[in-house]
Amino acid sequence: MIALFLRDLRLAIRAGGGFGLGLGFFLIVVVLVPLGVGPEGRTLSLIAPGILWVAALLACLLSLDRIFALDHEDGSLDLLATAPIPLEGVVTMKALAHWVTTGLPLTLASPVLALLMNLPGPGYPWLMLSLALGTPALSVIGTFGAALTVGLKRGGLLLSLLVLPLYVPTLIFGAELVKRGAAGQAVATPFLLLAGITAGAAALLPFASAAALRVNLR
Amino acid sequence: MTPPAAALAVTDLAVSRGGLPVLERLRFTLHPGRALILRGPNGSGKTTLLRTLAGLQPPLAGFITAPPETIAYASHADGLKATLTVAENLAFWAQIFGTGDIGAAVDGMNLRGLLDRQAQNLSAGQKRRLGLARLLVTGRPFWLLDEPTISLDVASVALFAEVVRSHLAAGGAVLIATHIDLGLPEAEVLDLAPHRARAPAAGGLMGAFDEAFL
Amino acid sequence: MSIWKYANPKQFMQTSAWALRWLVPLTAVLMVLGLVWGFFFTPPELRQGSTVKIIFLHVPSAMIGINAWLMMLVASLIWFIRRHHVSALAARAAAPIGATMTLIALITGAIWGEPMWGTWWAWDPRLTSFLILFLFYLGYMALWAAIEEPDTAADLTSVLCLVGSVFALLSRYAVNFWNQGLHQGPSLTVAQKQHVADAYWYPLMICIAGFIAFFVTLVLLRTRTEIRARRLQALLARERMG
């Protein structure tokens, strides 16, 4: 299973754009918001947690349809399904590789963008922590969506429609954690709930994703 | 390679595609050391049968008995990654199947000179050879091959036949869906035409639709 | 004979045809009685005047909006476990009705909210959860529409319905939490049910019963349509087979 993870990472690096595309998108959204909202620092710092989280979420969404589509096209998915590793393990590794190529770079780059959004000082550690905690859930949920739509011709648009409502709890708790952290309030509740969602999604959703894949490969 | 303890046996198998039966009353046994060639026109259900045997879809009726984890399936697509080298592609599948060694496969499909080349720079025939080398690294005795010789030249077909023969000699077995003559005179042939699914009125099976909705 | 005999399409067609003979008039009577009584024969409320009467549309449609999803969940589970085709088709049939009811609840809520709170829309937890529920309906229907092979579609939408239910519930709690975080104001819509006077209570109950009957009627009708469509598909496929 580690081999699958390493292969996906290697493919992302060789294909180019694996890391860069999501990051670039994240940057562009965050640059566009002040252009639309206006340059006033107080307004920006007020909406910074929400905008940063929504931008990260959209950047994650961007690369979801590639999780299984390429492997489906070239037949690797059929071969993986008949390989001795369980399909649940395959989808978990896929989600992990997706997180390392999108969620992790977003988390690492977020302080720079938070600077652009005038996020209050105390919010920085909480922003990175919330993204580090929450983006794995985004990848796991997104993998589920990708597994549902793998064989479809116009899967990309449908994928967004399916996945975005599922992102609601993660978004709410993630942004709330940053908001409270930046305002110096108690953060325990959103922190624990966000961690709970990630843990629960990572533990249970691979079974649903694998079931969906099996149906799609039939 | 460990010889299989038992044969791949198919009893009264019926397979369906898109909820409709395509083949029925299939009954054959593939013993170690034997090759079986499936023949039938396009759309006769060769691919569906192979996918069912590989466990990718459930049979409509009947049984497939085979020792667990002994079947390696190769579809039309080779499952190659264009940006990985030949060696990386093979090593990946070797790791997934837990065999680890790619040397025999490389020599078997005559890929030694291409090891460091990216798969996107291979010719169609070379790609196909790499796809077949993948079978060797699975270490599984039963091979299910779907049109394995597409885009192979005559020499490569001969090479392929040689690989199959040595696989058979080592106690493996192959089931091949193909149109062309592979140069394997010892192989048995299974014509799928008589197994075409009949309409339910003529005594055939009901598909998933029919059972529920007619 | 167990209850599952009704899951056989043929049996279902017969039973539902019989049930519809009674359900259609029952729906008509209940709806007309409840709505006419509610709209024209109830006294205007002291503070809200006659705007309150939209309650007779708003509350029943909101109830159906939520419960239609529950029904889909149960139907999806039955399909998953017992693989009765009618069950999957009933879930498919219920989705647009549930979505429409949710939309009606949102629109009537806005119409009611404008004179009462002075705004068409507020990001109140209840309203927000309903909007999210509507999005779940949209995704569910889009997935059904996108997949051609009917059994594959039934399987995948069932999985989605299952996972979606968990996330819809999570969203409900998340939204509650989120709005508290924003403004601590009183929940705007909770109070209405406790303070319903008798004069409103009886017509409201009749309206709810009418909406339930309406929902069941529509689901049965639409399921019958789906079954006929599937039968047609099976016949065409048979013809191609020769």
Side-chain angles (χ1 to χ4, degrees):
Chain A
M1 288 208 283
I2 304 297
L4 179 61
F5 171 66
L6 292 176
R7 180 195 73 154
D8 272 14
L9 281 193
R10 191 176 280 160
L11 286 174
I13 295 166
R14 296 250 172 104
F19 293 92
L21 217 62
L23 267 183
F25 187 79
F26 192 30
L27 175 71
I28 286 177
V29 172
V30 171
V31 168
L32 285 181
V33 167
L35 293 179
V37 171
E40 212 225 323
R42 268 193 42 223
T43 318
L44 286 182
S45 60
L46 205 64
I47 59 170
I51 296 297
L52 288 167
W53 252 92
V54 169
L57 189 147
L58 292 177
C60 254
L61 191 70
L62 203 60
S63 48
L64 283 182
D65 62 333
R66 299 208 314 187
I67 294 183
F68 292 118
L70 298 178
D71 278 351
H72 185 251
E73 272 164 30
D74 67 17
S76 308
L77 210 51
D78 286 344
L79 306 177
L80 281 172
T82 54
I85 55 176
L87 216 45
E88 286 80 4
V90 171
V91 295
T92 307
M93 285 303 127
K94 286 272 175 191
L96 187 64
H98 179 262
W99 180 72
V100 170
T101 50
T102 56
L104 188 61
L106 291 182
T107 307
L108 297 177
S110 60
V112 183
L113 298 174
L115 200 70
L116 292 178
M117 287 299 295
N118 202 15
L119 185 74
Y124 281 81
W126 296 114
L127 174 67
M128 287 190 75
L129 183 71
S130 75
L131 284 174
L133 258 181
T135 45
L138 299 184
S139 290
V140 173
I141 296 168
T143 307
F144 169 65
L148 279 181
T149 55
V150 65
L152 298 176
K153 270 156 246 148
R154 289 167 295 117
L157 204 62
L158 179 65
L159 180 61
S160 321
L161 190 61
L162 295 181
V163 163
L164 283 176
L166 300 178
Y167 277 173
V168 168
T170 318
L171 170 68
I172 288 179
F173 292 127
E176 190 70 23
L177 175 55
V178 184
K179 208 176 291 166
R180 292 192 177 189
Q185 294 166 336
V187 292
T189 315
F191 175 80
L192 291 176
L193 285 170
L194 184 63
I197 285 179
T198 301
L204 298 176
L205 265 183
F207 294 100
S209 312
L213 265 191
R214 277 194 198 100
V215 171
N216 265 327
L217 286 179
R218 256 192 337 226
Chain B
M1 185 176 310
T2 48
L8 171 70
V10 163
T11 323
D12 292 332
L13 184 72
V15 298
S16 64
R17 182 179 52 219
L20 273 185
V22 280
L23 293 169
E24 61 179 9
R25 291 170 298 151
L26 284 162
R27 183 191 282 268
F28 60 82
T29 309
L30 187 58
H31 291 288
R34 307 292 278 279
L36 183 61
I37 291 176
L38 297 178
R39 285 210 196 276
N42 288 335
S44 61
K46 296 191 293 292
T47 299
T48 310
L49 173 59
L50 289 181
R51 290 181 71 86
T52 309
L53 291 176
L56 287 169
Q57 62 181 73
L60 182 62
F63 304 96
I64 304 162
T65 45
E69 311 229 313
T70 51
I71 291 176
Y73 168 66
S75 59
H76 311 270
D78 292 317
L80 303 176
K81 290 297 170 191
T83 49
L84 297 186
T85 65
V86 170
E88 282 167 343
N89 266 309
L90 280 181
F92 166 67
W93 289 111
Q95 276 172 309
I96 290 289
F97 282 85
T99 50
D101 180 42
I102 63 167
V106 171
D107 292 330
M109 284 322 285
N110 198 14
L111 292 164
R112 190 55 77 182
L114 302 169
L115 273 183
D116 292 324
R117 192 172 309 176
Q118 288 197 343
Q120 60 193 349
N121 298 331
L122 296 178
S123 72
Q126 287 167 332
K127 270 187 197 157
R128 200 64 215 178
R129 263 155 58 200
L130 175 54
L132 295 171
R134 188 193 62 83
L135 284 171
L136 287 168
V137 304
T138 61
R140 292 189 164 179
F142 292 115
W143 290 358
L144 309 181
L145 309 178
D146 200 350
E147 304 285 0
T149 50
I150 287 181
S151 65
L152 289 186
D153 59 16
V154 179
S156 295
V157 171
L159 187 71
F160 166 75
E162 212 45 58
V163 172
V164 169
R165 234 175 240 124
S166 65
H167 179 64
L168 298 179
V174 292
L175 187 60
I176 308 173
T178 186
H179 294 289
I180 66 158
D181 183 22
L182 294 170
L184 284 169
E186 68 271 34
E188 296 159 54
V189 172
L190 175 65
D191 188 4
L192 290 179
H195 296 286
R196 188 160 171 248
R198 295 159 299 173
L205 284 160
M206 303 270 240
F209 285 180
D210 303 343
E211 199 179 350
F213 294 102
L214 287 174
Chain C
M1 261 291 191
S2 75
I3 183 175
W4 299 113
K5 75 174 176 180
Y6 297 107
N8 174 284
K10 232 179 222 159
Q11 183 68 47
F12 177 85
M13 288 305 264
Q14 283 173 12
T15 315
S16 61
W18 177 85
L20 279 173
R21 275 212 306 258
W22 301 99
L23 270 169
V24 173
L26 180 70
T27 306
V29 169
L30 284 174
M31 291 278 265
V32 170
L33 181 67
L35 289 177
V36 170
W37 184 356
F39 282 153
F40 301 111
F41 298 99
T42 49
E45 210 254 356
L46 206 60
R47 275 182 306 128
Q48 301 182 31
S50 50
T51 46
V52 75
K53 291 182 181 181
I54 204 165
I55 195 176
F56 298 113
L57 285 176
H58 181 70
V59 171
S61 60
M63 284 177 66
I64 301 291
I66 294 175
N67 287 304
W69 185 274
L70 277 182
M71 182 232 129
M72 281 156 56
L73 176 62
V74 172
S76 297
L77 281 172
I78 293 175
W79 161 252
F80 232 52
I81 296 162
R82 302 199 50 131
R83 306 203 69 79
H84 291 307
H85 287 82
V86 173
S87 182
L89 292 182
R92 177 179 194 172
I97 307 171
T100 312
M101 287 295 180
T102 309
L103 196 62
I104 291 176
L106 283 170
I107 292 172
T108 52
I111 294 172
W112 192 6
E114 209 280 330
M116 257 193 80
W117 318 326
T119 172
W120 296 98
W121 178 259
W123 289 93
D124 171 86
R126 263 178 195 242
L127 303 187
T128 313
S129 339
F130 254 84
L131 195 58
I132 294 171
L133 179 65
F134 184 64
L135 296 180
F136 274 100
Y137 273 121
L138 285 188
Y140 180 86
M141 290 189 292
L143 190 62
W144 260 114
I147 305 169
E148 274 167 38
E149 221 281 294
D151 278 3
T152 308
D155 280 332
L156 293 179
T157 50
S158 300
V159 176
L160 179 68
C161 186
L162 231 68
V163 173
S165 301
V166 175
F167 275 88
L169 212 63
L170 271 176
S171 305
R172 176 82 178 96
Y173 286 106
V175 162
N176 262 337
F177 169 82
W178 159 80
N179 187 274
Q180 257 179 24
L182 271 181
H183 50 85
Q184 302 266 341
S187 186
L188 293 161
T189 49
V190 175
Q192 76 198 16
K193 269 184 204 142
Q194 290 136 16
H195 301 300
V196 174
D198 275 359
Y200 291 113
W201 183 255
Y202 296 115
L204 182 58
M205 285 301 112
I206 294 174
C207 278
I208 290 174
F211 265 74
I212 293 172
F214 184 46
F215 174 69
V216 174
T217 307
L218 282 182
V219 169
L220 287 182
L221 275 175
R222 286 184 52 88
T223 309
R224 286 167 66 82
T225 313
E226 296 285 350
I227 290 176
R228 290 204 173 103
R230 277 296 290 277
R231 183 177 286 168
L232 183 66
Q233 226 174 341
L235 283 169
L236 286 173
R238 171 82 51 79
E239 219 159 67
R240 274 200 305 277
M241 216 170 91

